[in-house]
Amino acid sequence: MKKTFWQLFALLLIASMLLAACGGAATQAPAQTEAPAATEAATDAPAPAGVEALPQGQELANAYAGEYSGTVVTMSGPFTDADAVIFEESIKSFEEATGIDIQYAGSKEFEASIRVAVEGGTVTDIVDFPQPGLLASFVAQGKAIDVSTVINPDWLAENYIESWLQMGTMEGPDGPIMAGIWARANGKSFVFYPKAAFDAAGYTVPETWEEMMELTAQIASDGDTPWCIGIESGAATGWTMTDWLEETMLRTTSLENYDAWVAGELKFDSPEVRNALKYVTDIWFNDAYVYGGRKSIPATFFGDAPAPMFDNPPKCWFHRQGNFITSFFPEGLNPGVDYDFFYLPPIDPAYGKPVLGAGDIYAMFNDRPEVRAVMQYFSTGESLRGWIEAGGAISPHNDSDLDWYGDPVTRKVAEVLKNASSFRFDGSDLMPGAVGAGSFWKSMTDYVSGSIDEDTALQQIDASWPK
Amino acid sequence: MNAKKPSLDRQKKLSNFFVNFVLIVICLIWIVPTLGVFITSFRNSQNIFKSGWWTILPHREYVKTEEIKLADNVDVDGPITVNGVTRTFEEWRAGVLMPDGTQLIWFGNKRTRQIDVQTLEWKWFETDLSLENYTNVLSGKEIRFKDGSGNEIVRQGNNLSTAFLNSIAVAVPATIIPILIAAFAAYGFAWMNFPGRKFLFTLVVALLVVPLQIALVPILQDYTKLGINGTFLGIWLAHAGFGLPLAIYLLFNYINQLPRDILESAFIDGASHFTIFTNLILPLSIPALASFAIFQFLWVWNDYLVGLIFLGDQNRVLTMALAAIVGEKGQDWHLLTAGAFISMILPLTVFFALQRFFVRGLLAGSVKG
Amino acid sequence: MKNSKALQFVLAIGTMLLTLFLLQRGFIFLRDAAVSKIVIVVFAILWGVGGVAALYTVANWIVELLPTDWVPRIQPIVFVGPGLALLFWFLAIPVFRTLVLSFRGPNGQGFDGIDNYIFAFTDRIMLETFRNNLLWMVFGTLFCVGLGLIIAVLADRSKYEAIYKAIIFMPMAISFVGAGVIWKFVYTYKGEGSGISEIGLLNAIVLAFGGQSQPWLLIPPWNNFFLIAIMVWLQTGFAMVILSSAIKGIPAEMMEASRIDGANEFQIFFRIIIPSIQGTLITVTTTIVIFSLKLFDVVRVMTGGNNGTNVIANEFYLQRFTYGDAGQASAIAVILLLAVVPVMIYNLRQFRESRAF
């Protein structure tokens, strides 16, 4: 019985191997097509006559002429599932027009997988970085390609405002390079509120920080907790807190100080930061102001935090977060009717109406003409149009149209971003990983939980700054 | 002897009761957290946040029967009298038990001026249960969005069937291959004489503690050079390599404890190491092989990192597919409640299939035979 | 006679070459063929498992055809060689590399001396991870092995053994992400205030007994124990299965005999069961000690290492991948390796040289 089984197994094995041997022979030929050879030929080839360069660059024009039909451009990033489907949908027209196949693969644990891929030599052609700080560490190692050599710099200057270009410039081993192009933006300085209930209760939208605090006190005395706050986010717990501190920094001190702080020149243990932190803790550490009380903040998943706003009656009234939070809202809410947002008001009028934001930057790791063409394409607002219309993306490009935005709330977000008196990038995303994705998150979380005090928290962050 | 028997029986019954009692208590503790999430996996994503999973069981709760609107001239900041009872806002808000057995509770904040009258009623099983989470996980979520002209587009998200097959293709060989290699090595360490034997075994034990993360980058570099990155062979080797220290260590400890006499008599009969290994040691080691097989299978099945790095997205395994459905920022994490159970089905089947190998006396019987 | 042996030898070598060739062909087929996934899966399993079995068999065939005095020298290479080769490739060489990197700067360049080690032994967070790992090692192991042993022994006497064992084992089948979700529903804390109802099991129990709800995972140092409970829940099944199969190896007559001699169950446990499975007990304990040293998924999923719950392996992961400091990360990994030395020494005592053939 046993023996027959093994004999059968061996027979099957040999049969399948023979099958494979034949099959392998048949399929071997296409597998041996060597990509590098093709690349060299294409890069050396002069621009074909008759195809005139587009403002973005020569390769994009070649691509539309069908020059790179049948080539594959690989891409990786942190967005998955629904976003990945919408992304693929939005680039379909480009793929059909040019014959270039853009293969996107998204992954969780993005930081680890991208670092291993870059160091292990298997990185995709284009990588979407949600945090420029991570990209900066690869630029420092000389791994990323300078996109100003890929995309016409005049076009970049035309299609992006100065501060985006500045933030895309990073220090490489041979001096600063344009490390990537900004593909998607999101604004953070927004306070969402349940509009229908808010209007019914007779509250009005505050214009200044003082008014906001008065309204906060009013709501509290009416018997509700005004704010919904949650900072739990698995291994990234704490980032919401760092956003708050960045907001109050921008509103209580100069942009120069903010930039110095992000660069590590202004210490965390400084009067400026302590002052800004005070504005945050005045709200956060007041149990009458926060739904569930201070202790619940580090225990609440940031995405679940806004849900009590939409209970009937609302259990809280304000939620400060980036525009992406709307995808966490309970299903079936009508933007502009059930919820809306107001700009997190200024504290000191001297510092204007600064907007804090973040964005995804596309960096290029392999130089082939079809990759160049795709990068040039991504530098246009048109490349994001499908995603904007589907909802969930905001364009940093100047040539995108506000009419593309499907719902009124997102359009308002895009407007705020376009009209900001000053725009600053999420500081923790720009700080070195050990601080921006490490001690800053960690120490702030521990501080909010009460397991360390303010002095320890701030000093600990300063100490962790890489020498 | 005979006089003792009834008391022995009673003692046996008592100890049987004790044994089962302790085990039931432990098992309850073990199963309740899982049970909670199992129930949760059938609830919709809104209810999950609002009430504990145990509320689906029959219980008594207050149900609103009517509401009282306060007149505009009532001062809500001072004591408020309703139906003859005077309390402050805070007390009304926490709920006040009335003499007639109803509960009066303030609705919302002071501005609503509304008090709900509630009576205590039995609530049977929650009926708002559905398979929605499961269908979303299994056949892919429906992703709806609008195109430029306002038409709604519906796309089906990734479904799990290919990921399931990939997981099998990864897990089965990545279980059997290292066990085979480890069994040979364990036999070699236990019953063969060769120079450096002790040193090499020490090395195996030392490597037990190596976190596999340190190997990711160098191995990926090697794989790129060899051209096996993203192939099944690559991931089998990786799982085999990372699983080997424990496999060798556990199997060595088992094979090493087998009685020397059985091998001795086999050698006297003229058997070679290879025949002893295949015909004697392997059958004798089935309990150990089966238990290690289960563990290795589970580790590989539930592995995320190794699959992510060495297999990539083209052949993504179940854990990667599940991680993807929760979205970039984790907005759909409630789907994991269903996902966790779907991914458990096969490992549990394997466990039940292999459980029959852990039978008493397998070893004792063959020693005698 | 001699001729036929030479012929056999040639045949064996030929078979080896054929096997290798077929395997290579199979590899190319697997990589490139565009056939249905099920075919690929079945073929992959046959190719992988059959290939390894075939390689061992053929290699041994060749060795046994060698002159008699060569066989004992070459045969261990066939048995132990492949395993060691994989170990060297996948673990030993990377360890060596890590050792080198631990003396270098963040990007693996320059020479930093023992700076990385000074960091590892002075940093406040690192010191905290040492304390926590000690807690994990002591309490995690104690409960896993203790409970595993109790359950294995008790279940052995029950009619419903299979059910009990399946229940205890079940958590092992759950991925860490799934386990994270399950335990979030145990430890969740919603906070205090009107209209807030706890949805976490532990807080619901505490409230039902008139206590006050607690943010369990935010209270150092107790939060470490709540995390250890998760590991115990996950890994007791491991200890139980292995110990149970060892207990089943104890001849039933031995226990019957001592029962007839009037020994009570506790005496049987300490005088018969424990000594009989001593070797396995040491193995299981060692394995779980090492698990708890390496552990990081539970911490990463549940708390991210915040509020005093960080452990060495999580800090390594953060330094290596999130902060991108290969130097400090490597130093941490080396410390992890050094921690296992006592365990290693203890295990060598079991290694009885004289028994081999």
Side-chain angles (χ1 to χ4, degrees), chain C residues 83-162:
Chain C
L84 284 178
L86 274 181
L87 281 181
F88 270 96
W89 182 16
F90 282 90
L91 294 169
I93 294 170
V95 165
F96 182 72
R97 219 182 98 108
T98 305
L99 196 65
V100 174
L101 279 177
S102 73
F103 294 104
R104 290 175 176 267
N107 287 326
Q109 79 299 62
F111 178 75
D112 271 18
I114 56 164
D115 281 6
N116 294 324
Y117 289 93
I118 294 177
F119 157 81
F121 283 111
T122 55
D123 185 63
R124 196 188 75 95
I125 289 175
M126 281 306 298
L127 296 179
E128 191 182 278
T129 64
F130 292 147
R131 179 202 68 185
N132 292 344
N133 267 94
L134 200 67
L135 289 178
W136 280 89
M137 235 165 73
V138 173
F139 292 98
T141 312
L142 198 69
F143 282 107
C144 276
V145 179
L147 275 170
L149 183 61
I150 291 171
I151 296 163
V153 170
L154 292 183
D156 196 38
R157 287 141 198 262
S158 173
K159 270 189 288 187
Y160 312 107
E161 179 179 5

Side-chain angles (χ1 to χ4, degrees), chain A residues 108, chain B residues 37 41 133-134 137 318-319 321-326 330 332-343, chain C residues 174-182 184-185 301:
Chain A
K108 308 280 280 171
Chain B
V37 174
S41 68
N133 290 335
Y134 286 89
V137 170
L318 203 56
T319 43
L322 283 177
I325 59 164
V326 305
D332 288 318
W333 67 266
H334 61 271
L335 293 180
L336 282 178
T337 55
F341 288 99
I342 291 172
S343 70
Chain C
I174 301 173
S175 63
F176 276 104
V177 182
V181 173
I182 288 175
K184 279 200 175 128
F185 276 97
V301 169

Side-chain angles (χ1 to χ4, degrees), chain B residues 117-134:
Chain B
V117 182
Q118 299 179 327
T119 52
L120 199 55
E121 278 172 25
W122 270 101
K123 202 172 167 199
W124 296 105
F125 291 96
E126 185 174 304
T127 47
D128 198 9
L129 301 179
S130 73
L131 287 170
E132 197 192 329
N133 290 335
Y134 286 89

Side-chain angles (χ1 to χ4, degrees), chain A residues 138-428:
Chain A
F138 298 131
V139 173
Q141 293 171 32
K143 305 268 189 192
I145 290 163
D146 187 350
V147 294
S148 64
T149 66
V150 172
I151 305 167
N152 187 354
D154 297 336
W155 168 253
L156 286 176
E158 186 187 323
N159 207 29
Y160 288 97
I161 56 167
E162 185 57 28
S163 52
W164 282 116
L165 293 180
Q166 265 172 16
M167 282 180 295
T169 310
M170 296 173 191
E171 200 62 36
D174 315 313
I177 64 164
M178 184 66 70
I181 48 166
W182 294 96
R184 283 193 316 290
N186 56 67
K188 300 212 173 199
S189 309
F190 308 121
V191 181
F192 289 87
Y193 63 95
K195 189 170 170 33
F198 192 84
D199 292 344
Y203 299 133
T204 48
V205 168
E207 295 285 331
T208 65
W209 190 274
E210 238 164 70
E211 281 176 32
M212 188 178 80
M213 293 308 288
E214 275 163 21
L215 184 53
T216 298
Q218 174 65 47
I219 294 174
S221 82
D222 282 346
D224 273 333
T225 43
W227 291 88
C228 271
I229 307 170
I231 65 170
E232 199 274 329
S233 182
T237 297
W239 61 263
T240 310
M241 170 65 178
T242 64
D243 284 1
W244 271 80
L245 182 57
E246 287 152 15
E247 299 274 16
T248 53
M249 275 296 282
L250 282 174
R251 284 164 178 72
T252 55
T253 187
S254 65
L255 292 174
E256 289 70 37
N257 272 343
Y258 180 85
D259 293 339
W261 175 56
V262 170
E265 288 147 18
L266 179 71
K267 291 220 165 297
F268 275 80
D269 190 4
S270 64
E272 288 85 357
V273 178
R274 279 174 186 271
N275 179 37
L277 189 56
K278 176 101 176 36
Y279 281 96
V280 180
T281 53
D282 278 349
I283 296 173
W284 285 42
F285 293 178
N286 187 335
D287 282 350
Y289 285 180
V290 180
Y291 177 71
R294 169 182 176 177
K295 289 251 184 239
S296 77
I297 295 175
T300 306
F301 176 56
F302 79 92
D304 299 342
M309 273 202 307
F310 303 107
D311 280 355
N312 182 29
K315 298 216 174 84
C316 61
W317 298 80
F318 296 140
H319 183 69
R320 191 224 60 92
Q321 189 52 282
N323 50 278
F324 52 81
I325 195 68
T326 53
S327 63
F328 289 86
F329 285 175
E331 272 165 48
L333 293 178
N334 204 347
V337 178
D338 294 315
Y339 66 85
D340 203 349
F341 72 87
F342 59 84
Y343 167 76
L344 183 71
I347 294 171
D348 184 338
Y351 302 115
K353 282 188 155 194
V355 172
L356 183 74
D360 283 40
I361 185 167
Y362 288 173
M364 182 173 160
F365 284 86
N366 297 314
D367 197 355
R368 295 198 309 277
E370 61 270 22
V371 185
R372 289 173 161 251
V374 173
M375 285 296 279
Q376 287 161 4
Y377 169 66
F378 282 139
S379 72
T380 64
E382 190 62 32
S383 66
L384 199 63
R385 183 170 179 172
W387 201 339
I388 293 172
E389 286 165 348
I394 288 165
S395 158
H397 312 95
N398 288 337
D399 67 343
S400 58
D401 195 328
L402 283 177
D403 289 341
W404 294 345
Y405 294 93
D407 75 78
V409 171
T410 323
R411 190 177 307 129
K412 217 166 108 191
V413 169
E415 254 166 20
V416 171
L417 280 178
K418 262 196 170 158
N419 304 330
S421 74
S422 52
F423 179 86
R424 275 298 177 272
F425 208 88
D426 183 338
S428 63

Side-chain angles (χ1 to χ4, degrees), chain B residues 294-315:
Chain B
I294 289 177
F295 299 125
Q296 176 73 10
F297 183 84
L298 289 176
W299 288 320
V300 173
W301 187 261
N302 289 326
D303 153 80
Y304 175 71
L305 196 61
V306 176
L308 177 68
I309 303 288
F310 295 119
L311 204 53
D313 206 57
Q314 285 329 91
N315 286 319

